[in-house]
Amino acid sequence: MFSVTVRDHMMIAHSFRGEVFGPAQRLHGATFVVDATFRRPDLDSDGIVVDIGLATEQLREVVGELSYRNLDDEPAFAGVNTTTEVLARTVADRLADRVHAGALGDRARSLAGITVTLHESHVAWASYERSL
């Protein structure tokens, strides 16, 4: 399996419901380094997994939709704890929608999957992997 990873970042505000989250139940900010890894079993006819420029552009747009927002106020997250895991899935699903729509080029439609990793810090991160 071949893979290509592109990286960006996002800064958000949010709070959590549930005693397990302790002080994070209060409104707080988070900055995530976001890695999106695109996979395919074979390279395309140009010898690539995906156009890195298009992948970078689409990741930037997806994280831009979330950055500098209080996610508690976003209708898409009503009633949802926007944990690192949930946000990784959200970014992956939004990228998958863009792949299917052709935003990463026609050849990207034959990608096998995407993995999105959100790095909370240098010691903690979460990923979500999905097929395409």
Side-chain angles (χ1 to χ4, degrees):
M1 188 69 67
F2 292 93
S3 66
V4 164
T5 301
V6 295
R7 176 173 278 182
D8 207 319
H9 74 283
M10 65 181 178
M11 294 183 271
I12 56 98
H14 61 172
S15 61
F16 297 127
R17 289 172 316 286
E19 292 297 319
V20 70
F21 295 107
Q25 293 175 83
R26 293 187 299 273
L27 184 65
H28 63 280
T31 300
F32 298 101
V33 173
V34 182
D35 290 333
T37 301
F38 300 86
R39 297 181 321 276
R40 68 185 317 146
D42 296 305
L43 301 177
D44 72 10
S45 60
D46 290 319
I48 62 174
V49 173
V50 68
D51 181 314
I52 291 175
L54 290 176
T56 300
E57 177 183 301
Q58 293 305 309
L59 178 61
R60 183 180 316 117
E61 289 182 15
V62 167
V63 299
E65 295 168 355
L66 300 170
S67 292
Y68 299 106
R69 288 176 172 75
N70 178 350
L71 300 183
D72 296 349
D73 296 336
E74 294 294 314
F77 298 114
V80 175
N81 275 332
T82 51
T83 62
T84 305
E85 296 89 337
V86 166
L87 293 175
R89 181 182 61 206
T90 298
V91 172
D93 288 347
R94 290 181 181 187
L95 284 171
D97 290 344
R98 290 166 180 254
V99 167
H100 294 304
L104 281 83
D106 286 334
R107 292 187 186 152
R109 288 187 171 124
S110 61
L111 287 167
I114 298 174
T115 301
V116 171
T117 302
L118 270 62
H119 301 265
E120 290 189 46
S121 72
H122 67 288
V123 297
W125 55 89
S127 299
Y128 179 75
E129 181 177 337
R130 61 162 291 162
S131 298
L132 290 175

